[in-house]
Amino acid sequence: MKVPFLNLRAINARDEHAIISACERVIKSGWYVNSEEVSNFESKFSNYCGTKYCIGVANGLDALKLTLAAWKILGKLKDGDEVLVPGNTFIATVLAVIDTGLNPVFVEPDPETFLISNSSLESAITSRCKAIIPVHLYGQLVDLSALRGVIEKHELLVLEDSAQAHGASLMGKRAGNLGHAAAFSFYPGKNLGALGDGGAVTTNDAELASLIKALANYGSEDKYVHSFVGYNSRLDAIQAAILNVKLTRLDNDIELRRKIVHRYLNEISNPHISLPSINDTQSHVWHLFVVKTEFRKALQAWLTAHDVQTLVHYPIAPHKQEALSQFSHTILPVTENLQSVVLSLPVDPTLDNEQVSYVIDVCNKFKLNAENHPL
Ligand SMILES: *Cc1c(COP(=O)(O)O)cnc(C)c1O
């Protein structure tokens, strides 16, 4: 049996007819940019997240960057201000900060939840910190209410990086509606994925929303009238039309992921594999199912040999990347340890029961012997 990590072809095949007719509608409309398809998606997605506004943009990185750039124009941030980011995240979170002339300050995660926590936040914060980007990593919400004390004390702007957490909710509030603004990605492999790049910002702040809308469209609100030095970062009509189809399936896909995870958590029982811990079932949408093991190389080789595809999220932390060598002296022991012990198992919503049983079985049969060298 073969278990792919994420079978995008199978995922999208379930909506093939609806996707094709959505594309056909766009092709025949003659409107390919800034069209009604985009505003339709924006209102559906803001409604889904529970926010007043949603602005479609070109990708998740731009969603982060445009929000930070807008805060600079609004006078809420200025060059050189510090922004708290988790040490363990996808590099986009950090690039967005650097690209807008701000300085990242890395915060260690809690090794159990993989998310930033109060104690590490308190030790990282400085008086120059003006904003925080909590990343809902692997699909689990950062509990912002637990961080409220620090956020309020330092009057931090909160930009959720929700690229992995579409639909996750905590006490009835969804990702995207927990801070001052949130950035989403619709990269094909995300839980809500387009058939190309896409992204969005959600917020309840009217001024911020209209500024981001303008910034993403050459700094223009009226055609050929440019009020700001803007960018070209728009969500394509064709991707918006596809996202309108796929949004209707999101909640069901989250349930499918939760069912797979429920089995993994109950049935994987190998002492060499440590399973993730969850705070609250609704607050995790399982973009990734990440286990920890001291024997990653051996476990990954074992799973590969049995046709179970796994990936590592992420093998090199941002501050250890060559591209960010200015941070190479930063010391983040928790982050650095995680990058060598994490392994992501398949949690594709199209996996069938037999495939899930098979992954469990292969995991449970993993043993260490003379060839299974530890790390
Ligand atoms: C995917 C991702 C992004 C960037 O999204 P793109 O659409 O690829 O630009 C940002 N942050 C996190 C945590 C992500 O996983």
Side-chain angles (χ1 to χ4, degrees), residues 59-62 64 89-90 92-93 135 137 161 163-164 185-187 190 197-198 314:
N59 54 63
L61 173 61
D62 281 3
L64 291 164
T89 180
F90 180 59
T93 320
V135 179
L137 198 70
D161 184 335
Q164 304 190 356
S185 164
F186 308 119
Y187 177 79
K190 307 290 187 188
D197 279 308
Y314 297 90

Side-chain angles (χ1 to χ4, degrees), residues 168-185:
S169 69
L170 196 56
M171 294 190 288
K173 271 192 161 187
R174 279 196 167 129
N177 191 20
L178 305 168
H180 298 107
F184 286 90
S185 164

Side-chain angles (χ1 to χ4, degrees), residues 81-354:
D81 279 350
E82 292 185 345
V83 180
L84 294 147
V85 295
N88 60 325
T89 180
F90 180 59
I91 195 168
T93 320
V94 184
L95 291 180
V97 173
I98 295 170
D99 283 351
T100 39
L102 303 162
N103 291 328
V105 171
F106 297 100
V107 181
E108 288 269 54
D110 174 313
E112 296 309 316
T113 61
F114 307 108
L115 305 174
I116 53 171
S117 71
N118 232 343
S119 55
S120 53
L121 183 59
E122 270 175 345
S123 58
I125 207 161
T126 74
S127 58
R128 294 176 301 278
C129 289
K130 298 290 183 265
I132 182 169
I133 309 185
V135 179
H136 304 311
L137 198 70
Y138 307 150
Q140 178 159 230
L141 293 182
V142 175
D143 182 0
L144 286 165
S145 62
L147 307 182
R148 187 167 296 147
V150 190
I151 290 169
E152 283 177 1
K153 183 171 159 213
H154 294 265
E155 296 179 16
L156 299 175
L157 293 164
V158 179
L159 170 54
E160 296 170 73
D161 184 335
S162 298
Q164 304 190 356
H166 321 71
S169 69
L170 196 56
M171 294 190 288
K173 271 192 161 187
R174 279 196 167 129
N177 191 20
L178 305 168
H180 298 107
F184 286 90
S185 164
F186 308 119
Y187 177 79
K190 307 290 187 188
N191 284 18
L192 176 60
L195 270 63
D197 279 308
V201 177
T202 56
T203 182
N204 291 310
D205 180 337
E207 190 182 27
L208 181 69
S210 60
L211 179 52
I212 291 172
K213 183 92 197 158
L215 280 181
N217 189 36
Y218 286 112
S220 165
E221 276 161 339
D222 299 316
K223 209 167 164 88
Y224 303 128
V225 181
H226 302 270
S227 322
F228 311 100
V229 179
Y231 308 81
N232 177 354
S233 179
R234 300 174 293 220
L235 179 63
D236 280 340
I238 205 150
Q239 298 304 340
I242 292 167
L243 287 166
N244 273 326
V245 172
K246 294 195 67 183
L247 181 58
T248 61
R249 195 185 270 283
L250 177 59
D251 282 338
N252 190 49
D253 272 359
I254 292 171
E255 282 317 309
L256 293 172
R257 285 173 186 269
R258 285 185 179 139
K259 282 195 180 125
I260 296 168
V261 167
H262 185 75
R263 290 201 57 200
Y264 284 169
L265 291 176
N266 284 300
E267 298 174 49
I268 296 177
S269 60
N270 187 321
H272 300 306
I273 303 175
S274 123
L275 300 171
S277 55
I278 40 167
N279 301 330
D280 175 295
T281 54
Q282 293 306 301
S283 79
H284 207 323
V285 292
W286 302 102
H287 174 57
L288 296 168
F289 183 82
V290 178
V291 302
K292 290 187 287 184
T293 173
E294 293 299 317
F295 311 102
R296 182 171 74 199
K297 211 173 155 205
L299 177 61
Q300 189 168 33
W302 169 261
L303 288 161
T304 305
H306 291 85
D307 287 325
V308 175
Q309 194 189 358
T310 58
L311 293 171
V312 173
H313 298 91
Y314 297 90
I316 308 172
H319 72 290
K320 291 291 182 190
Q321 297 283 356
E322 195 183 336
L324 302 179
S325 59
Q326 69 268 41
F327 303 108
S328 64
H329 299 296
T330 310
I331 298 164
L332 301 168
V334 180
T335 298
E336 287 156 33
N337 177 253
L338 283 178
Q339 74 187 36
S340 59
V341 300
V342 291
L343 185 68
S344 308
L345 303 184
V347 64
D348 175 326
T350 68
L351 291 183
D352 63 30
N353 254 324
E354 285 67 44

Side-chain angles (χ1 to χ4, degrees), residues 11-26:
I11 285 175
N12 290 318
R14 300 173 302 168
D15 292 314
E16 190 170 321
H17 296 298
I19 289 173
I20 289 172
S21 67
C23 292
E24 213 168 74
R25 192 175 68 233
V26 174

